Amino acid sequence: MATASAAFKSREDHRKQIELEEARKAGLAPAELDEDGKEINPHIPQYMSSAPWYLNAEKPSLKHQRNWKSDPNYTKSWYDRGAKIFQAEKYRKGACQNCGAMTHTAKACMDRPRKIGAKYTNKNIAPDEKIESFELDYDGKRDRWNGYDPSTYHRVVDLYEAKEDARKKYLKEQQIKKLEEKNNNQEGDDAATSDGDEEDDDDLKVDEAKVDESRQMDFAKVEKRVRTTGGGSTGTVRNLRIREDTAKYLLNLDINSAHYDPKTRSMREDPLPDADPNDKFYLGDNQYRNSGQALEFKQMNIHSWEAFDKGQDMHMQAAPSQAELLYKNFKVAKDKLKTQTKDTIMEKYGNASTEDEIPMELLLGQSERQVEYDRAGRIIKGQEVILPKSKYEEDVLANNHTSVWGSWWKDHQWGYRCCQQTIRNSYCTGSAGIEAAEASLDLMKANIARKEACEESPKKVEEKRMAAWGSDVPEDLELNEEALANALKKEDERKREEKDERKRKYNVKYTNDVTPEEMEAYRMKRVHHEDPMKDFL
């Protein structure tokens, strides 16, 4: 009843609040002030100017509509990069041992590791960095441009302007060069000159149109609509063939032959590897990728990647013409360097292949070394075989051993040949250790043989079938009266538990061992359905 009256009272307050707002809009009541003390304009509709009645608000407020958790002192400032706050003249306790700044430790120091730190030299003390911390809101944490300085974009603009100026300068030089060649060739035939002028003009036009190379290179491109009614996406059809040619996936119908990918229409391996190469029309996509212009294009790609990694501004996809020109210049410079190196070596050491005659000093040269050969021309004696050495240590003898580890093998174990031990880094015992090991082995074998001889064969345990299991009780069966009485008590308890489930215990002890007394108690207590006097028991 109290809850209903409270709800009715809240509704009455809400109705009065609405009437007061209507009176204020009509000018019959004093104006309402918001939370900041400003007057609310009655002519502007104030939606939900008062909190709902179920919030039990004391006065009308718009707090439930505002982001009251936002911090008014929130700032969008960013870290002052590279700012320093104090420059010390000598090392201070607790500062970085490498550079001497107090704002970080030696483990987090970003300076070059000094040979002798500032802690010991007291020189070149680095200034302290400015440490700042900001509490960013939800949008600030996810703003990928937070802290970006727009003034740094002028570097990108300058780079593109420099490229454009260089391109214009190159085109102008080419134009001047063409005009000079034209003036030098004016003495020739008029017809040839006119043809040359037309060709030069065409070349200049092509140079001026190098900016838009896509229109000139679209002659081999086939536009195709892909799975869209209006042609949303287009693609270039690769591996073009005429319709009379046999499809590559029909060249070999064996399921274990080269794999064909229907999505990319590619078959990398050769579908007919055993056929005659002169009769084959298709050798697989890998054959085309590793031969002809495809191999040269791959080498050009690799050159552009390596040049970009080394700091040169070139990209195969962004500027293919520039990349191809730089690759040609690179090959010319490489061949020139090879030739220069070859000439330098030939100048210094000479070239024996270009000399006409071999000096007599070499033909009649004598030595004290005697070499014997067989009939096939192989060296028999006189030239020792030099064994190649590895980078690992060889023939290192330790712990008084005269042979290396791994020179002995027995019973699937490596060991030392000198003492026949199979324990790594053990001390060498020599021939005495071998004799002791053999004696120990003989003793162990003798002990095993003696133990086998002394052991008696185990007696066969006769399996006694309990007379109480599935057979008639023999006359000579003797039962323990006390055990039989206990078994009868247990059988009575079990019967009572079966009748009343509440008396069944939680922990049940179950065993398979049944004694003759327990079996006799079960026979005595069980119900004989064939007995006509069973109801009187």
Side-chain angles (χ1 to χ4, degrees):
M1 190 68 183
T3 306
S5 61
F8 180 76
K9 184 178 181 182
S10 300
R11 292 191 184 93
E12 287 294 326
D13 295 340
H14 183 59
R15 185 180 59 78
K16 292 179 180 179
Q17 185 66 31
I18 294 175
E19 293 177 355
L20 182 60
E21 288 178 2
E22 292 177 354
R24 283 172 179 165
K25 290 180 182 179
L28 302 176
E32 182 186 6
L33 301 179
D34 59 3
E35 292 179 348
D36 299 331
K38 297 180 181 179
E39 182 178 349
I40 298 177
N41 192 350
H43 301 286
I44 298 177
Q46 302 290 331
Y47 300 102
M48 295 221 26
S49 60
S50 61
W53 59 270
Y54 49 81
L55 291 181
N56 296 326
E58 298 180 356
K59 60 179 181 178
S61 171
L62 297 176
K63 186 177 180 179
H64 58 282
Q65 295 183 1
R66 299 174 183 173
N67 187 11
W68 55 274
K69 291 185 178 180
S70 61
D71 188 5
N73 299 324
Y74 173 73
T75 177
K76 291 188 177 180
S77 58
W78 197 243
Y79 299 99
D80 192 2
R81 299 182 184 272
K84 310 297 180 181
I85 55 176
F86 180 70
Q87 175 67 56
E89 297 180 355
K90 62 180 182 178
Y91 182 78
R92 296 157 292 174
K93 185 177 180 181
C96 176
Q97 298 182 4
N98 184 43
C99 65
M102 286 289 292
T103 51
H104 61 267
T105 59
K107 187 175 182 180
C109 185
M110 301 299 293
D111 289 359
R112 177 182 59 84
R114 303 183 185 180
K115 189 175 181 180
I116 302 176
K119 179 179 179 180
Y120 306 101
T121 59
N122 243 352
K123 297 179 181 178
N124 299 328
I125 304 296
D128 299 342
E129 296 93 348
K130 185 178 180 181
I131 305 298
E132 297 177 287
S133 61
F134 302 110
E135 294 183 1
L136 301 177
D137 58 354
Y138 182 86
D139 295 331
K141 291 178 181 179
R142 291 155 179 81
D143 187 6
R144 57 193 299 263
W145 294 102
N146 198 356
Y148 176 72
D149 188 6
S151 61
T152 58
Y153 188 71
H154 71 87
R155 301 176 185 173
V156 181
V157 177
D158 295 342
L159 177 62
Y160 280 92
E161 289 179 354
K163 286 184 179 180
E164 185 67 20
D165 295 341
R167 190 187 67 82
K168 290 180 179 179
K169 183 178 178 181
Y170 173 75
L171 293 177
K172 189 174 182 180
E173 290 176 356
Q174 293 294 324
Q175 188 175 6
I176 293 174
K177 187 177 179 180
K178 296 287 183 181
L179 292 175
E180 289 178 355
E181 292 178 357
K182 176 182 175 182
N183 294 331
N184 293 333
N185 296 331
Q186 283 182 355
E187 298 177 359
D189 190 10
D190 297 337
T193 306
S194 61
D195 295 339
D197 294 341
E198 293 177 0
E199 291 178 359
D200 294 341
D201 295 339
D202 294 339
D203 293 340
L204 292 176
K205 290 178 181 177
V206 170
D207 290 339
E208 290 292 343
K210 274 187 177 180
V211 182
D212 189 8
E213 293 181 350
S214 60
R215 296 181 181 178
Q216 301 175 11
M217 301 302 293
D218 282 347
F219 63 92
K221 188 175 181 181
V222 179
E223 298 287 343
K224 181 184 178 184
R225 303 180 188 273
V226 181
R227 297 191 182 187
T228 53
T229 306
S233 65
T234 58
T236 303
V237 180
R238 299 184 301 164
N239 301 331
L240 296 177
R241 62 178 181 87
I242 59 178
R243 299 184 64 84
E244 288 78 8
D245 293 336
T246 305
K248 62 178 73 173
Y249 52 85
L250 296 178
L251 294 176
N252 191 352
L253 300 179
D254 187 6
I255 58 175
N256 296 324
S257 62
H259 173 69
Y260 175 75
D261 186 12
K263 185 175 182 180
T264 58
R265 303 180 184 178
S266 61
M267 182 182 287
R268 298 181 180 179
E269 300 178 1
D270 188 1
L272 300 171
D274 300 331
D276 187 7
N278 298 325
D279 299 337
K280 287 193 293 186
F281 173 75
Y282 180 72
L283 301 176
D285 294 342
N286 288 342
Q287 179 69 19
Y288 298 139
R289 290 174 182 170
N290 298 327
S291 61
Q293 295 182 349
L295 184 60
E296 184 179 355
F297 182 74
K298 186 188 298 183
Q299 294 174 354
M300 193 187 308
N301 261 321
I302 296 173
H303 172 260
S304 64
W305 296 337
E306 293 177 351
F308 183 78
D309 291 339
K310 293 178 181 178
Q312 192 170 359
D313 187 12
M314 63 179 297
H315 198 277
M316 188 64 193
Q317 281 72 33
S321 302
Q322 178 193 10
E324 186 176 1
L325 181 61
L326 291 176
Y327 180 60
K328 289 181 179 179
N329 296 339
F330 168 74
K331 287 199 296 185
V332 172
K334 187 177 180 180
D335 296 339
K336 185 177 180 181
L337 181 61
K338 281 185 178 180
T339 307
Q340 184 179 358
T341 306
K342 183 178 179 181
D343 295 341
T344 306
I345 294 174
M346 290 177 63
E347 273 184 24
K348 187 173 183 179
Y349 300 102
N351 189 0
S353 62
T354 58
E355 296 180 359
D356 298 334
E357 296 181 358
I358 300 176
M360 297 300 295
E361 292 81 4
L362 296 178
L363 290 175
L364 303 178
Q366 298 179 359
S367 64
E368 299 295 333
R369 188 166 60 92
Q370 183 179 358
V371 182
E372 296 182 6
Y373 299 90
D374 59 0
R375 292 183 179 181
R378 293 186 293 267
I379 298 175
I380 300 175
K381 184 180 179 182
Q383 186 176 6
E384 292 76 10
V385 180
I386 300 175
L387 297 176
K389 294 184 179 181
S390 66
K391 64 179 180 179
Y392 304 102
E393 294 182 351
E394 296 182 359
D395 299 334
V396 178
L397 305 178
N399 296 333
N400 202 28
H401 287 285
T402 57
S403 60
V404 296
W405 169 262
S407 58
W408 174 257
W409 170 262
K410 186 177 181 182
D411 297 335
H412 303 282
Q413 288 183 340
W414 293 104
Y416 298 97
R417 186 178 59 184
C418 54
C419 57
Q420 297 183 5
Q421 293 193 62
T422 57
I423 301 175
R424 186 73 181 272
N425 296 329
S426 61
Y427 193 79
C428 183
T429 56
S431 59
I434 297 175
E435 295 175 358
E438 292 177 353
S440 175
L441 183 62
D442 295 340
L443 181 61
M444 184 179 64
K445 290 181 179 179
N447 291 336
I448 293 174
R450 186 175 65 253
K451 185 177 180 181
E452 289 178 353
C454 294
E455 284 182 353
E456 296 179 359
S457 59
K459 295 181 180 179
K460 295 183 179 180
V461 181
E462 296 181 0
E463 184 179 358
K464 296 182 179 180
R465 183 179 179 88
M466 302 297 293
W469 289 95
S471 62
D472 297 333
V473 180
E475 297 178 357
D476 57 348
L477 180 62
E478 295 181 0
L479 299 175
N480 190 355
E481 298 295 337
E482 185 178 356
L484 181 60
N486 295 332
L488 289 172
K489 291 181 180 179
K490 290 182 180 179
E491 187 68 19
D492 292 338
E493 292 178 358
R494 189 180 66 81
K495 292 285 186 180
R496 285 195 297 270
E497 287 180 359
E498 288 182 357
K499 291 180 179 180
D500 191 358
E501 292 288 339
R502 294 175 297 177
K503 293 183 179 181
R504 179 177 293 179
K505 296 181 179 179
Y506 182 75
N507 297 325
V508 180
K509 294 181 180 180
Y510 179 77
T511 178
N512 287 328
D513 299 334
V514 181
T515 61
E517 289 80 4
E518 292 177 351
M519 193 64 191
E520 184 65 24
Y522 169 73
R523 284 178 171 174
M524 294 172 65
K525 294 292 183 179
R526 75 185 182 92
V527 178
H528 298 274
H529 296 281
E530 67 278 2
D531 189 5
M533 302 295 291
K534 62 181 179 180
D535 297 334
F536 300 97
L537 292 177

